[in-house]
């Protein structure tokens, strides 16, 4: 990152994420859920993937199967909902577009979290964090917490702190907290609580006497690199305040796949963005096929440059797909829905797509009637083969069509209306 | 990138080409690139939605707002980002339900009015006791 000649303050990173995202999105349109224990279930209504604080207080664990909870649901007043990915995708797109207005540098990290580059005095940063929190709640209707720190890892930690400690009122600026308090927190938290440290790694770190986050932050980065990996060394450096986790171009989360990147040369035309979207559509198709998955919802986004704060544009759109698919033609075509939102002659510095509502391929095969013609002819596999043999960019899709049927094979007995993406399912307001 | 497409690729791509140029796929896709940039017609989104992040469309259920020209089954455009003022038609949360009312901010408190004499006013001590979900900006009324 190049630095301006005169700089009052070092750039910092804000990590923003929505509290209990899926449950909060449901509550935004059904206020009767406010204050009640709410869980959102995984695909096929299998197990709890999101729990409201009230549901956590009941002792419901992450991943607890619904059939075990169902018998007690009534007694608890527990509301269980099927996952409504179209709603979550649209709410996510709104949140990201709004956050883009606060910083010229935005990295959509997952469906419900983003990193933003921010600058200012500690007071200004706190005020900015509170502004973002208020705006997302007011405009979109969901609650967020904000952590601001010199590095991504610390920003995530600050955010977690803000969530769990009501004293912060949802916004924690790491450097504004007394050093002694930060140490106490880092001593109390196990290394497993830190971003990027998994269970297996925790055991190996423990064997070296590294138990708390504080221990890890005091470890020798070179020793960590030699014994573990560059990835873990980066975590150590980040805990010490040196930013070194780069923008990731491809991420696979629990229930989403993200592709995004910054461009070496800004793109200034819809035609250019169209090309980028085509590439991502095909990459997403290849990844989905590799993992044996299909997606039902796609979000496409783009953003302007860090260095050009005058003309900013952060369009983000959510497209429900007509059927679950891993078809590169359909995914590419869907991603092109972003194009009408692209302003010509603005310098876009990054773009990406995210696919959600993932389910195993062939788990519920559509009737032949609804089967996709491209899939049948294995276009995806063919494109992959050619790419593998002749390199990336040797073949690509130009045009494509969407054909599909209804998605009625997935078990979603407790699905709320798709309030924002279907005209027949708009939220009802009582006039009585 | 810069890969020369050899004869074997043409072979392998035969079925792909037939997919891409088949009339069915093209008919459902983009008939002409020009259409993507055609912007001559009025776009209602542009005129009715001031902020895409905060605007939602909702549907009316009931007849309590008839006097404001808002009927059962009409769609409303609601902007959550607007500050409600005296006289605003708002979507408010009442008993856990999204409810549409005329907001009156008076010297003696807040009143939520129906626009139909059959429904009584609802009094609220202050604005902070009221959750306003959004401010109605337009009504899509069926005529």
């Amino acid at each position: 990152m190049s630095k301006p000649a005169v700089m009052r303050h070092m750039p910092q990173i804000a990590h923003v994420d929505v509290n209990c995202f899926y449950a909060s999105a449901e509550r935004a349109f059904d206020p009767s859920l406010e204050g009640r224990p709410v869980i959102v279930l995984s695909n096929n209504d299998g197990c709890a993937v999101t729990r409201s604080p009230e549901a956590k207080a009941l002792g419901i664990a992450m991943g607890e199967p619904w059939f075990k909870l169902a018998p007690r649901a009534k007694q608890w007043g527990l509301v269980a909902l099927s996952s409504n990915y179209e709603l979550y995708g649209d709410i996510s797109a709104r949140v990201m577009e709004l956050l883009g207005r606060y910083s010229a540098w935005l990295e959509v990290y997952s469906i419900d979290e983003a990193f933003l580059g921010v600058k200012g005095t500690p007071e200004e940063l706190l005020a900015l964090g509170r502004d973002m929190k208020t705006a997302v709640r007011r405009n979109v209707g969901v609650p967020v917490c904000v952590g601001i720190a010199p590095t991504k890892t610390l920003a995530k930690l600050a955010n977690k702190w803000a969530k769990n400690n009501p004293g912060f009122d949802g916004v924690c600026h790491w450097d504004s907290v007394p050093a002694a308090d930060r140490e106490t927190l880092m001593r109390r938290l196990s290394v497993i609580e830190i971003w990027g440290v998994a269970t297996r790694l925790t055991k190996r770190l423990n064997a070296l006497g590294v138990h708390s986050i504080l221990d890890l932050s005091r470890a020798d980065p070179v020793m960590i690199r030699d014994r573990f990996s560059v990835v873990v060394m980066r975590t150590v450096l980040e805990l010490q305040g040196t930013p070194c986790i780069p923008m990731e171009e491809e991420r696979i989360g629990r229930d989403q796949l993200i592709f995004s990147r910054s461009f070496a040369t800004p793109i200034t035309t819809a035609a250019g963005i169209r090309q980028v979207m085509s590439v991502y559509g095909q990459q997403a198709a290849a990844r989905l096929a590799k993992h044996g998955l299909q997606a039902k919802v796609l979000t496409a986004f783009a953003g302007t440059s860090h260095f050009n704060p005058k003309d900013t544009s952060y369009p983000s759109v959510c497209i429900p797909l007509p059927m679950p698919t891993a078809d590169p033609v359909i995914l590419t075509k869907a991603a092109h829905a972003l194009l009408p939102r692209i302003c010509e002659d603005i310098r876009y510095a990054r773009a990406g797509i995210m696919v959600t509502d993932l389910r195993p391929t062939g788990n519920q095969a559509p009737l032949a009637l609804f089967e996709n013609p491209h899939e049948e002819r294995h276009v995806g596999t063919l494109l992959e083969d050619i790419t593998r043999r002749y390199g990336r960019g040797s073949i690509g899709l130009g045009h494509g069509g969407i054909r599909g049927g209804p998605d009625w094979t997935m078990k979603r007995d407790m699905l709320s209306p798709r309030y924002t993406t279907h005209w027949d399912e708009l939220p009802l307001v009582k006039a009585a | 990138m810069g890969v020369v497409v050899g004869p074997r690729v043409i072979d392998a791509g035969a079925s792909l080409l037939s997919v891409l140029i088949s009339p069915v796929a093209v008919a459902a896709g983009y008939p002409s690139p020009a259409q993507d940039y055609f912007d001559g017609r009025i776009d209602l989104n542009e005129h009715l939605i001031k902020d895409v992040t905060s605007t939602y469309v909702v549907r009316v259920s009931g007849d309590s707002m008839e006097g404001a020209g808002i009927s059962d089954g009409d769609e409303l455009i609601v902007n959550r980002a607007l500050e409600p003022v005296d006289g605003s038609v708002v979507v408010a949360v009442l008993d856990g339900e999204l409810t549409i009312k005329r907001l009156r901010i008076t010297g003696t408190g807040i009143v939520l009015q129906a626009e139909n004499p059959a429904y009584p006013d609802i009094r609220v001590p202050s604005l902070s006791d009221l959750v306003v979900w959004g401010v109605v900006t337009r009504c899509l009324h069926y005529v």
Side-chain angles (χ1 to χ4, degrees), chain A residues 242-290:
Chain A
T242 308
C244 51
I245 294 187
M247 166 91 187
E248 289 173 42
E249 299 201 339
E250 183 179 326
R251 284 180 298 282
I252 299 180
R254 180 164 45 84
D255 44 15
Q256 68 222 316
L257 226 75
I258 297 186
F259 299 85
S260 73
R261 62 177 292 195
S262 315
F263 313 131
T265 319
I267 292 181
T268 56
T269 61
I273 296 288
R274 176 195 192 100
Q275 212 172 5
V276 172
M277 289 293 140
S278 303
V279 170
Y280 288 148
Q282 288 162 71
Q283 281 181 0
R287 288 304 271 190
L288 286 169
K290 189 181 161 207

Side-chain angles (χ1 to χ4, degrees), chain B residues 61-75:
Chain B
S61 166
D63 61 1
S64 74
M65 294 302 285
E66 292 277 2
I70 298 171
S71 303
D72 190 34
D74 286 352
E75 285 87 20

Side-chain angles (χ1 to χ4, degrees), chain A residues 197-273:
Chain A
V197 175
T199 318
R200 227 184 42 189
L201 192 56
T202 305
K203 284 186 188 142
R204 289 175 57 204
L205 285 166
N206 289 351
L208 284 177
V210 175
H211 297 276
S212 69
I213 293 178
L214 190 67
D215 295 338
L216 188 62
S217 77
R218 289 177 177 172
D220 172 18
V222 177
M223 179 276 285
I224 290 288
R225 185 197 61 201
D226 293 346
R227 297 235 186 173
F228 297 91
S229 64
V230 172
V231 178
V232 188
M233 180 187 75
R234 280 187 190 148
T235 301
V236 173
L237 289 171
E238 287 242 327
L239 283 171
Q240 294 171 352
T242 308
C244 51
I245 294 187
M247 166 91 187
E248 289 173 42
E249 299 201 339
E250 183 179 326
R251 284 180 298 282
I252 299 180
R254 180 164 45 84
D255 44 15
Q256 68 222 316
L257 226 75
I258 297 186
F259 299 85
S260 73
R261 62 177 292 195
S262 315
F263 313 131
T265 319
I267 292 181
T268 56
T269 61
I273 296 288

Side-chain angles (χ1 to χ4, degrees), chain A residues 42-64:
Chain A
S42 60
N43 276 344
N44 278 323
D45 293 343
C47 54
V49 291
T50 300
R51 303 158 298 154
S52 74
E54 298 82 359
K56 287 177 193 166
L58 286 172
I60 296 173
M62 190 70 172
E64 202 157 338

